Amino acid sequence: MIPKTEKRSVNVPPLTELCTRILVAKRDRISDIGDIPVHLLQPVFEKCTPDQLQKIENASPRTHKMIFSFW
């Protein structure tokens, strides 16, 4: 237990960053992205293979304009 007089500084990343890390790591399992704002998925798209991008685009046609720039 840390005494009350001793304070530690811990840098915790924002929740969106933690979620993005998980999505990038599991990108091969992503298909339909539902209502997730596309701008939050940009880091994921940047790491996707062409096959992964195609899978996402087929399941979520609204992403076509965003994904097009990654081809």
Side-chain angles (χ1 to χ4, degrees), residues 13-27 30 36-47:
L15 182 57
T16 53
E17 184 178 328
L18 293 172
C19 292
T20 300
R21 288 181 191 175
I22 297 298
L23 286 170
V24 168
K26 306 286 185 183
R27 66 188 176 272
I30 298 173
I36 299 172
V38 179
H39 74 275
L40 293 175
L41 295 169
Q42 183 172 350
V44 179
F45 294 157
E46 290 172 352
K47 300 288 185 180

Side-chain angles (χ1 to χ4, degrees), residues 1 7 32 44 58 63:
M1 189 166 157
K7 293 191 179 199
D32 185 350
V44 179
N58 288 341
T63 62

Side-chain angles (χ1 to χ4, degrees), residues 3 5 7-8 10 12 16 18 24 31 34 39 47 49 57 59-60 63 66 70-71:
T5 57
K7 293 191 179 199
R8 289 189 178 178
V10 178
V12 178
T16 53
L18 293 172
V24 168
S31 57
H39 74 275
K47 300 288 185 180
T49 65
E57 189 175 287
S60 305
T63 62
M66 283 297 292
F70 295 97
W71 290 104

